Structures are given as structure tokens and as C-alpha cells.
Amino acid sequence: MNDYLNHLNPEQKLAVEQIDGPMIVIAGAGSGKTRVLTYRIAHLIKNGVNPFNILSLTFTNKASREMRDRIQKIIGDNDAKNIWMGTFHSVFSKILRIESHYINYPKNYTIYDTEDSKSLTRSIIKELNLNKDFYKVNIIRSRISTMKNNFISPDEYVNNPEIVLQDKIAKRTKFIDIYKSYINRCIKYSAMDFDDLLINTYKLLNSFPEILLKYQRKFEYILIDEYQDTNHIQYLIIKKLAALNENICVVGDDAQSIYAFRGANIQNILNFQSDYPDFKSFKLEQNYRSTKSIVETANHLISFNKKQLQKKVWTNNSIGSSVVIHKCSSDNEEAKLVANTIFDLKIRDDFFNNDFCVLYRTNAQSRAIEEALRKKNINYKIYGGISFYQRKEIKDILAYFRVIVNQNDDESLKRIINYPSRGIGLTTLNRLSLKAIENNRSIWSIIKNIENIDININKGTKNKLIEFYELIQKFILMSQKCDAYTLANDIIHSSKIYTELHNDKTPEGVSRFENIQELLNGVKTFAEQSEDEVSLGNYLQEIALITDMDNENDNEADKITLMTIHAAKGLEFPNVFVVGIEENLFPSMLSLESEQDLEEERRLFYVAITRAMKNLFLSYSTFRFRWGQYIDCSESRFLNELDDKYVVRNEQEVHFSKPKFSFKKKSFPTTNRSLKSVKKIENHEAENYVGHKFSIGDRIEHQNFGKGSISNIEGFGSSTKACVNFDNFGEKTLLLKFAKLKLLNN
């Protein structure tokens, strides 16, 4: 494929042919940035650059695979295989394994994914006997990540009164104990979470000048995709690696920077010029994806953002259909609109299900859409559900794999010590854990010497622990001479996991059994196709770095895709529905505190619009069921920022059946504005809410939240609200006229 340059437009060609020096490619949506990246790498190699000296960083393994496949078609398999190409985490984990002795880690360290990290956090909170209401796992885990990514060690935390005060106000005074324990456990278990892969790479390069020089010389040319999504530590690592040669090419679009909540810093792309004053800039402004109506609609929206790199995206595609904005009476009617429109378009224009995508701001919005699609017998899939590698039976088997590779991994060992059941109970495990903590050793080392250690465990249980030790030791010895598939197959059979799942003939059991068969298929494929050593350790490293995007099956049956807008970035569909475009939902209520946050929400809407190729449907509801009651909604400010030239508005509320609601004007306040109207459910109202029969202290039951006690009642008439402490769901505030509470005591 020597004529590859002929497949580029003039601006793409200029970017590809630029060999040396720093350069930035501002790539508008649908402008062919992946083609530019891949062709530029091929062009570098065609012009004498050794592929071993090229580093290409992406945000998903899927993107790396696609790029490598394209490069292979131009320059051949061998050269393409020699490029250092992958996600930030996969490339940095490879460097850390090579140089692990510098940071006192073994080469076979375990990589903890998000769920592993949460599990460890949960264990520590439980051991410290802390109140789960104040020490929520997700919040604590996120705070640990924030501390680490800002280089705030436990010692620095203690000496920072502002941060300490934040946790004191939030009633998390023991956070420092969790933080210290989390870090110590990771070191003790020879484990790194995703944050550690970045932080330890930075520490390695920063603390050992000879290692930094080694990789600066190795990576003569550096290319980075989606540069607007890099966080502060990724930025610092890249800057160090590129400092010697400054042959750095970054590709991105500031208008698609939507991951600030993950730590992405839009300033990295906005400040590229100040980092590299002699840079060259290229703008890819021709959109090949979408109709002119969609492109111009997106352009007009994003022009309201003040902080951006100027560009004008355009297209030679036809003007296409106008963008349609629908006003719906409720979220249920909005869902029916989506389902009916999909049904009609499939018949009229011969579209398949996988030609459609429904986008929403929050996962909770999928419920109504799912119900409407099911009623139309339209197949769908929810993107971002539980991934294959997060299913319990898979995590159980992977825990066996991890312990065999790294016996210090206590979290994995605790998961398998009594699975399948071998008579080693929780009391025994707790005693082993305490003894390990007392002696600053791993649980494995305690089990290994169980006969010589003073521990309150009876002889029968000790024998079971010895049997467990011998089983794992057998696998460890096998791992030194067997490939990953042979070993994995033996683990699943010898541990009796295979027998346990095979004997479970319930639908769930059959599904779990099929999943372990699929896992073995994956290990076999790895063993047959991997270019590196086909050990169990290498297999674990590969799957530990799989992203949500990589878990999607491209060959899945014909289904409509439902997903959040954040998950849709990088994808495209002929027909796109964006639902729930309402104030306080999109933009999110949390984004209204600063112009910076509001601009990110606008970029998120820009991403949603630019996923569409042919047809784009936008909708909002005047009422939405949230927090146990119907609330009044108004259309998002973003809809008023669209160009009327390319937009058609259906201002009459959409109904597909006789509405269940009548409309009656009311004026009671919510947040900082007054409700325009209140929906009244006919024949479904609670006991006369004006003279309601509830009192503070009453025990009640709710059809969704179960039993609870009323702690407060406020308001009057139709606005009367009850604050209820539910036994299993905590505190909820409900509008009595809709809540349908059942009184349990008089």
C-alpha cells in the first residue's frame, strides 16, 4: 500500500508528512484523526525511523488494535509488531515490570482493577469498624485516588490543615487511617492499582535519571491520541519522556474534553503552545461522518464556550434531515417516542437495530427507554453493564490465577480460601488475617507455616489449610513449566470449580458454567496468539488492563445501543437519540456552580450531537419521575443555543396513548425556581393529602423502599412532604400525594 498518502486530504497529508519537532493536530469530530495517527506512524517507519523507537499512547486497547491493524496493511506485520503501542496503563505497566527492582516491587506484581481496589477499601473500613454512612466505599476510594494523583502522601495529608478540615467537616476523621492502611496493604500484597501504574512510573523516571535517559533515548518519537483526556500525572510523564528529542505529536479536540471528573485536564491541550514554543499546528476541520445539518448544529452550540482552540468544522456531505427537537409530557412518553420512531425508521428506511443509539446523561434514565423498547419487541443492549471480567465466577477463577502468580495477594487469597467450600470458615480466615497483620506478613506465609505458628485453630482446620496450601503449591510448580491455558484448565478442574458449576442446572448456574468455558477459550486464544511469553502472569497482565470499551463484542447480535454520553465518545451511529435534555439534568445541577463546569457540560452535549451520522433526535420532558415524586422540568438552555436554521421543533407535547395525567397549575417552590405545573395522577392518589393521617414517628411501608419511620412532616395541602428514614434505603423525602404510603401502626 505505497500510495497511502493519496488517501489523505491536504491538511491530513501535511500532518502525516511532518517528521520532526513538536506538533499538535486539532481534530474536529469525524475528521479522520485515527487515519492521521496511523498513517503518520507508517510514514515515520517508511522514512527510516526504527519502529522500536516509536511510542504510541491511546486510551483504549481497542483503539490500539485498530491502529496496529491499519499500520500492518501499509508496512507489514513485523514492523508493526515492534512499535510500543498501547494504553497509558499497559505501556507503563510494561516499563514497571522491566524496572520493578528499582521501586522494590517484584516483576509479578498484581494489578488491581477498580473493583479490586474497592474490595480492599471495603475490607479496611470493616476492619476499622467505621460507620458506613460516613465512610462510603466509593467516596473513600475516590478520595484516596485524588490524594495519590496530587502527590499527597499520608504524611503530607496530616500536615495539610485544609484537607484535614474537609474530612473533619464530612465526619471522616479516620480517613487518614484508611489511606495509610490502603497504601501499606498494596505494598504488602505486591499490588498496584491503576493510579499506582501512573504514579510509580513518574516516580521511577523522576528518581532515577539513568532510567529516564534510557527511555528518552528509546522513545525518539512519541504520539498521543485524545490528548485532551490526559490527566496531570500522564502529562508530567509525557513531558519527561519527550524532553530529550521533543519529537512529540499530540492529537485531540478540546471540544470533546469531557472527563474532568476522572482527572482529565483540558489545560494540557490548551497550553501545548507554551510547553513547546516552536510547535507546528495542524487543523483537521473536514467532517466525513455527519450531514451538514448535524455539523452546523454542533458548531453553533460549541461556539458558546469561551475557552477553546478556534476551528471551523465543515463537511461536503449533504445537508440531510433537520435535527428534530421533541417536547414530551413525561419521561415515559419520551421513551415511547423513541421506540416508535425507531420502529418507523426501521420499516421506512431499512435500518437495522445496530444503526440506532440512545444517549442519556445518567444511567438511571435507561429504565423508561428499556420498557418502551421491550413493549415494541426491539432488541437492545446497555453499554457499560457488568463486564465479563467483573462477573463473580470469573473473578473467583482470576483470584486463583493471581495467588498462583503472586502469593502475597491477600485479597485474592481470601476470595478463594474457601471456594469451592473446603470447610475453612470466616472465623478461621479472620484469625489468619489478624496473625498476618500482627507479624506484617502475608496470609500465605502464615498458612505455609501453620503447624509451627501459635494460632487458635483446631487440628482439623489446620489439616484443611495444609491441603489448600498443597493444592496451590502444585499449581505454582506447574506454572513454571506449563503455558497459561494448560495451567488454567487444570486449576478449574483440580479446584473442583468445574464440577460445582457443572452440577448447577439452574439457568444462572448454566450461564456461569458457560462463562468459565468462555474464559478458558480466551486463555487458549492468548496462549496461541500472544507474541510474548504465554505464562499465566502475562495473561493476567493483559486482561487486567482491559477497558470498558474493550469489553464490547463487535460481533454481538443486532441490537440497539443504550449508553451514557460519556461512554459514547469515539463511537458513531446513523441514528442517534439524545433524551432528557432538561435543566438540572443536562446540564447537571452540579455543573451550574461555575462557568468551567458548565462549559464541560456543553462539550458533553457537543459529543452527543456529533455521534450522529444521518438522523439526530433531541427530546425533553415537562415532567419526570425522580426521587419518589413527579417534578416539573424545563428544557435545557443548550437547546436554545442551537441554530434554528437546521433545527425543527415539535413544541406540542408528544402523547402516544391517553395520558395518565391531568394538568393543574400550582406554585410551590423547588430549588431556586417555582414549578410551572404539577402532574396529578388520576385514581392513584394517596389518602387525602390535605387532611393526611400520618404523624411523626409513624411506621409506614412504601412499595419501592419498604418499611421505615416518619421523622418529619412539612408543607401543607398538595405540597405536604414526609421525611422518612427507611430501614434499608436511608432517608428519603416524599411528596405525600404521590407516595402511596401504607400506615403500619395507628
Side-chain angles (χ1 to χ4, degrees):
M1 191 174 173
N2 294 321
D3 61 342
Y4 61 95
L5 292 177
N6 296 332
H7 296 271
L8 303 170
N9 68 33
E11 195 67 18
Q12 289 174 334
K13 188 176 179 182
L14 287 173
V16 167
E17 291 181 324
Q18 175 64 36
I19 301 290
D20 295 321
M23 58 180 284
I24 183 171
V25 180
I26 306 300
S31 62
K33 70 176 179 63
T34 304
R35 173 173 288 191
V36 167
L37 267 174
T38 54
Y39 281 33
R40 185 169 188 272
I41 292 171
H43 193 68
L44 288 173
I45 295 170
K46 289 266 189 181
N47 282 270
V49 176
N50 189 326
F52 283 102
N53 298 131
I54 297 174
L55 171 63
S56 176
L57 296 170
T58 65
F59 276 85
T60 68
N61 293 305
K62 184 177 181 180
S64 290
R65 286 195 301 270
E66 288 177 358
M67 286 174 60
R68 197 183 295 274
D69 288 344
R70 292 194 195 187
I71 294 168
Q72 284 175 342
K73 291 175 182 176
I74 300 173
I75 63 173
D77 287 0
N78 290 336
D79 282 338
K81 288 176 182 176
N82 294 332
I83 302 164
W84 273 58
M85 178 180 288
T87 64
F88 284 86
H89 291 98
S90 65
V91 169
F92 295 165
S93 70
K94 187 175 179 180
I95 291 174
L96 288 172
R97 288 192 191 278
I98 295 171
E99 316 295 348
S100 59
H101 57 285
Y102 281 92
I103 55 172
N104 298 318
Y105 263 86
K107 290 185 183 296
N108 62 342
Y109 65 81
T110 297
I111 298 174
Y112 278 1
D113 63 19
T114 304
E115 289 305 313
D116 298 320
S117 178
K118 287 180 182 177
S119 176
L120 176 56
T121 306
R122 190 177 293 109
S123 295
I124 295 169
I125 292 170
K126 185 177 180 181
E127 288 168 15
L128 294 174
N129 197 27
L130 299 174
N131 188 328
K132 293 179 182 177
D133 291 336
F134 299 123
Y135 295 90
K136 296 183 185 296
V137 171
N138 287 342
I139 293 174
I140 297 299
R141 173 65 195 98
S142 176
R143 190 144 179 81
I144 289 172
S145 178
T146 299
M147 294 299 118
K148 293 202 293 188
N149 280 284
N150 285 282
F151 300 104
I152 300 172
S153 68
D155 289 341
E156 289 165 325
Y157 172 95
V158 172
N159 294 318
N160 190 318
E162 184 179 342
I163 297 176
V164 172
L165 180 61
Q166 289 173 1
D167 282 322
K168 186 175 182 180
I169 293 171
K171 298 183 179 179
R172 294 192 298 255
T173 54
K174 297 292 185 181
F175 170 78
I176 183 60
D177 298 329
I178 303 172
Y179 187 23
K180 282 180 180 177
S181 184
Y182 183 93
I183 289 176
N184 291 336
R185 296 282 180 91
C186 284
I187 294 170
K188 177 183 170 185
Y189 299 165
S190 300
M192 295 189 205
D193 62 22
F194 283 177
D195 292 326
D196 292 329
L197 294 177
L198 302 180
I199 293 163
N200 288 335
T201 300
Y202 176 78
K203 288 178 179 177
L204 177 72
L205 300 177
N206 196 51
S207 302
F208 302 96
E210 67 277 20
I211 298 298
L212 173 60
L213 184 60
K214 171 184 174 180
Y215 287 99
Q216 285 177 333
R217 287 173 173 169
K218 178 173 182 57
F219 300 135
E220 294 178 9
Y221 291 85
I222 299 173
L223 300 93
I224 302 149
D225 191 15
E226 305 286 11
Y227 190 62
Q228 78 279 351
D229 293 337
T230 52
N231 63 25
H232 184 59
I233 292 184
Q234 289 165 334
Y235 164 81
L236 292 174
I237 294 171
I238 292 161
K239 204 163 188 309
K240 281 185 173 295
L241 290 174
L244 182 64
N245 300 297
E246 289 201 347
N247 292 325
I248 178 171
C249 169
V250 303
V251 179
D253 180 7
D254 59 298
Q256 297 186 64
S257 178
I258 59 172
Y259 293 125
F261 68 97
R262 292 185 192 168
N265 187 354
I266 192 173
Q267 294 302 130
N268 294 346
I269 193 167
L270 296 177
N271 294 342
F272 187 82
Q273 179 177 359
S274 58
D275 287 335
Y276 304 96
D278 57 343
F279 81 113
K280 288 185 170 60
S281 177
F282 303 90
K283 292 182 180 180
L284 307 183
E285 297 173 306
Q286 183 176 359
N287 180 295
Y288 293 93
R289 173 188 299 157
S290 307
T291 64
K292 185 175 181 181
S293 291
I294 293 169
V295 169
E296 292 300 332
T297 297
N299 282 345
H300 202 269
L301 171 79
I302 205 64
S303 67
F304 285 85
N305 270 14
K306 296 176 182 177
K307 200 177 273 189
Q308 60 176 300
L309 299 170
Q310 292 303 317
K311 62 180 178 300
K312 175 64 176 176
V313 180
W314 59 277
T315 185
N316 274 332
N317 294 339
S318 66
I319 191 167
S321 302
S322 296
V323 174
V324 181
I325 299 177
H326 280 294
K327 178 181 181 181
C328 302
S329 62
S330 70
D331 46 355
N332 287 329
E333 294 299 324
E334 182 181 46
K336 291 176 187 176
L337 166 72
V338 171
N340 285 357
T341 306
I342 290 172
F343 187 83
D344 293 343
L345 281 173
K346 285 175 63 180
I347 294 173
R348 191 188 75 190
D349 296 333
D350 293 327
F351 285 117
F352 294 100
N353 284 335
N354 56 23
D355 292 325
F356 295 89
C357 177
V358 183
L359 300 176
Y360 34 78
R361 181 65 181 82
T362 65
N363 278 306
Q365 292 170 255
S366 74
R367 180 203 55 80
I369 305 293
E370 289 183 70
E371 289 181 6
L373 292 174
R374 281 199 297 267
K375 287 175 182 176
K376 283 283 185 182
N377 291 319
I378 299 173
N379 291 331
Y380 66 89
K381 62 177 178 179
I382 297 182
Y383 190 103
I386 297 177
S387 73
F388 179 79
Y389 293 102
Q390 295 301 336
R391 291 168 184 158
K392 179 188 180 301
E393 62 274 16
I394 302 303
K395 294 286 280 186
D396 289 336
I397 294 169
L398 294 182
Y400 269 94
F401 293 180
R402 285 175 163 186
V403 171
I404 290 154
V405 171
N406 171 19
Q407 292 82 59
N408 291 331
D409 186 352
D410 278 8
E411 287 300 301
S412 294
L413 188 141
K414 285 189 280 189
R415 189 177 186 110
I416 67 170
I417 194 168
N418 197 41
Y419 178 76
S421 178
R422 49 178 62 91
I424 302 172
L426 188 58
T427 301
T428 299
L429 180 56
N430 288 338
R431 287 171 180 167
L432 290 170
S433 297
L434 284 172
K435 183 61 71 172
I437 292 169
E438 287 171 10
N439 292 275
N440 195 27
R441 295 165 67 181
S442 67
I443 294 175
W444 174 259
S445 68
I446 301 298
I447 296 172
K448 183 178 180 180
N449 298 288
I450 194 68
E451 292 185 292
N452 303 317
I453 289 179
D454 181 20
I455 187 170
N456 185 20
I457 294 176
N458 64 48
K459 185 166 181 59
T461 304
K462 283 186 178 180
N463 289 335
K464 291 169 184 173
L465 289 170
I466 291 169
E467 288 175 9
F468 172 71
Y469 170 80
E470 290 173 346
L471 176 69
I472 300 300
Q473 191 61 35
K474 168 201 162 187
F475 295 146
I476 293 170
L477 293 173
M478 282 184 67
S479 70
Q480 297 167 7
K481 54 186 178 182
C482 293
D483 64 71
Y485 173 72
T486 304
L487 179 56
N489 196 40
D490 192 73
I491 291 166
I492 289 170
H493 283 81
S494 296
S495 65
K496 303 208 170 100
I497 292 175
Y498 184 95
T499 303
E500 173 156 305
L501 294 180
H502 185 265
N503 291 340
D504 184 352
K505 299 304 181 184
T506 65
E508 295 78 12
V510 171
S511 176
R512 287 192 288 268
F513 182 71
E514 289 172 349
N515 285 338
I516 67 166
Q517 294 281 15
E518 184 58 32
L519 178 68
L520 281 175
N521 290 341
V523 181
K524 188 171 181 63
T525 300
F526 165 80
E528 290 174 348
Q529 298 181 3
S530 177
E531 296 155 19
D532 298 319
E533 182 187 354
V534 291
S535 67
L536 196 63
N538 277 15
Y539 170 75
L540 281 173
Q541 180 183 350
E542 181 172 287
I543 64 166
L545 297 162
I546 289 175
T547 66
D548 289 341
M549 183 82 73
D550 302 310
N551 288 328
E552 291 301 308
N553 185 349
D554 293 332
N555 298 317
E556 200 168 335
D558 184 33
K559 294 181 180 179
I560 288 166
T561 300
L562 276 57
M563 59 169 62
T564 64
I565 302 167
H566 280 103
K569 190 161 169 290
L571 304 178
E572 59 184 34
F573 300 88
N575 307 287
V576 170
F577 296 80
V578 189
V579 298
I581 311 175
E582 299 143 20
E583 282 294 297
N584 297 328
L585 180 56
F586 196 11
S588 162
M589 186 184 299
L590 299 175
S591 71
L592 303 180
E593 297 177 4
S594 73
E595 185 174 7
Q596 180 180 340
D597 291 340
L598 185 61
E599 289 205 349
E600 171 139 342
E601 287 285 296
R602 188 177 286 113
R603 292 195 295 270
L604 188 60
F605 191 27
Y606 176 87
V607 167
I609 290 172
T610 54
R611 298 312 93 201
M613 300 165 69
K614 293 183 178 180
N615 295 305
L616 175 63
F617 303 92
L618 311 174
S619 59
Y620 67 97
S621 302
T622 55
F623 283 88
R624 185 170 294 275
F625 192 75
R626 299 178 79 185
W627 306 303
Q629 59 182 306
Y630 281 93
I631 64 168
D632 175 78
C633 305
S634 61
E635 67 175 289
S636 167
R637 68 191 70 191
F638 294 154
L639 293 179
N640 294 318
E641 295 174 354
L642 305 182
D643 190 345
D644 289 337
K645 182 178 178 182
Y646 299 100
V647 170
V648 171
R649 289 176 175 266
N650 182 355
E651 295 292 349
Q652 187 169 354
E653 292 184 4
V654 176
H655 295 282
F656 288 101
S657 58
K658 183 181 178 182
K660 294 181 180 179
F661 312 106
S662 61
F663 294 85
K664 185 177 181 181
K665 289 287 180 180
K666 292 285 178 184
S667 58
F668 56 88
T670 64
T671 62
N672 295 322
R673 61 191 179 87
S674 294
L675 288 179
K676 295 177 182 175
S677 52
V678 172
K679 233 169 210 182
K680 187 174 182 180
I681 303 183
E682 295 178 351
N683 305 321
H684 293 286
E685 295 200 12
E687 192 76 25
N688 187 337
Y689 51 79
V690 176
H692 65 81
K693 60 186 179 183
F694 302 108
S695 303
I696 294 174
D698 281 346
R699 288 288 291 172
I700 56 86
E701 186 172 11
H702 185 274
Q703 61 183 8
N704 293 323
F705 301 132
K707 295 178 181 179
S709 300
I710 295 178
S711 60
N712 190 36
I713 296 176
E714 60 183 31
F716 60 91
S718 63
S719 303
T720 307
K721 298 176 185 177
C723 183
V724 183
N725 284 315
F726 287 101
D727 298 347
N728 296 320
F729 289 90
E731 190 175 85
K732 305 282 182 185
T733 299
L734 306 176
L735 200 63
L736 280 182
K737 75 173 204 171
F738 291 134
K740 293 188 283 186
L741 300 180
K742 177 183 177 183
L743 187 62
L744 297 180
N745 59 347
N746 293 315

